[in-house]
């Protein structure tokens, strides 16, 4: 699949916004802790991915009813659905000057993940969290995503790389008082 940048301006994929608040003190503390144990930006990106994937359980797997959407809230509360976890990973990576895009799949409902830019190319990564049947891994050599869309069922990958969370996704997250409400309002399309 050919990934397409929403904007040609690569600096947009390093920017902070209300959801990817990489200037927040908690985000900066997490970055400093993760960066202290690695030698280069690739190792940092992998460490950040594994931290978000493994240390922040997906709320639907853990049964957590809270809805998070801002990266700093995901890190503080240690919970979030795919979109929120993607926002947290994007903040951790952008804080270390690693261009990071938000991208989506349609799996019956819209699923969120990220793409990182290394070596002049974008590489999608899915920090959703592993469980039986899901084995997502950080990789710049072929995708190791949580889910592969089933074309026969109408599932698709969205090729657009967004610099900010898609408004449909952000609006649904912000409006949800809890995860059961969120589940009833998850977008089926962008």
């Amino acid at each position: 699949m050919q990934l397409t940048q929403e904007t040609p301006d690569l600096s947009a994929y390093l920017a902070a916004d209300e959801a990817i608040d990489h200037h927040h003190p908690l985000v900066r503390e997490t970055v400093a802790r993760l960066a202290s144990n690695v030698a280069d930006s690739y190792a940092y990106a992998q460490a950040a991915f594994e931290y978000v994937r493994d240390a922040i359980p997906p709320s639907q797997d853990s049964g957590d009813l809270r809805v998070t959407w801002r990266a700093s809230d995901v890190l503080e509360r240690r919970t979030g659905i795919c979109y929120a976890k993607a926002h947290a990973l994007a903040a951790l990576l952008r804080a270390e000057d690693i261009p990071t895009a938000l991208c989506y799949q349609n799996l019956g409902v819209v699923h969120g993940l990220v793409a990182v830019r290394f070596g002049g190319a974008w590489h999608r990564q899915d920090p959703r969290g592993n469980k039986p049947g899901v084995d997502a891994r950080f990789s710049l050599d072929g995708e190791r995503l949580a889910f592969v869309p089933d074309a026969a069922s109408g599932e698709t990958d969205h090729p657009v790389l967004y610099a900010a969370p898609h408004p449909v996704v952000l609006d649904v997250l912000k409006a949800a008082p809890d995860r059961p409400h969120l589940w009833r309002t998850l977008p089926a399309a962008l």
Side-chain angles (χ1 to χ4, degrees), residues 81-155:
I81 69 165
C82 59
Y83 314 131
K85 290 183 63 150
H87 300 167
L89 181 55
L92 293 174
L93 296 173
R94 288 180 181 188
E96 283 293 288
D97 294 323
I98 299 170
T100 306
L102 298 165
C103 43
Y104 303 94
Q105 297 174 312
N106 185 324
L107 305 171
V109 294
V110 175
H111 174 63
L113 51 156
V114 303
V116 295
R117 190 165 176 89
F118 276 100
W122 290 100
H123 307 273
R124 293 188 309 164
Q125 314 294 328
D126 191 343
R128 181 232 176 262
N130 290 339
K131 64 179 186 174
V134 176
D135 186 26
R137 298 184 184 266
F138 186 84
S139 176
L140 302 184
D141 184 29
E143 293 184 335
R144 297 288 309 270
L145 304 178
F147 307 108
V148 175
D150 177 15
S153 299
E155 297 178 348

Side-chain angles (χ1 to χ4, degrees), residues 9-141:
D9 180 5
L10 201 55
S11 69
Y13 298 95
L14 294 169
D17 62 30
E18 66 176 337
I20 303 169
D21 57 342
H22 64 71
H23 298 301
H24 188 280
L26 181 56
V27 175
R28 300 307 301 179
E29 290 169 20
T30 306
V31 168
R33 188 174 65 255
L34 293 170
S36 70
N37 299 318
V38 297
D40 58 30
S41 61
Y42 174 83
Y44 173 80
Q46 183 172 3
F49 169 84
E50 290 173 355
Y51 177 78
V52 173
R53 182 194 66 192
D54 300 340
I56 302 169
S59 57
Q60 67 270 29
D61 294 357
S62 68
D64 196 319
L65 299 181
R66 297 173 296 169
V67 174
T68 55
W69 57 270
R70 186 177 285 119
S72 57
D73 292 338
V74 174
L75 296 174
E76 178 185 354
R77 297 177 185 167
R78 293 193 179 284
T79 191
I81 69 165
C82 59
Y83 314 131
K85 290 183 63 150
H87 300 167
L89 181 55
L92 293 174
L93 296 173
R94 288 180 181 188
E96 283 293 288
D97 294 323
I98 299 170
T100 306
L102 298 165
C103 43
Y104 303 94
Q105 297 174 312
N106 185 324
L107 305 171
V109 294
V110 175
H111 174 63
L113 51 156
V114 303
V116 295
R117 190 165 176 89
F118 276 100
W122 290 100
H123 307 273
R124 293 188 309 164
Q125 314 294 328
D126 191 343
R128 181 232 176 262
N130 290 339
K131 64 179 186 174
V134 176
D135 186 26
R137 298 184 184 266
F138 186 84
S139 176
L140 302 184
D141 184 29

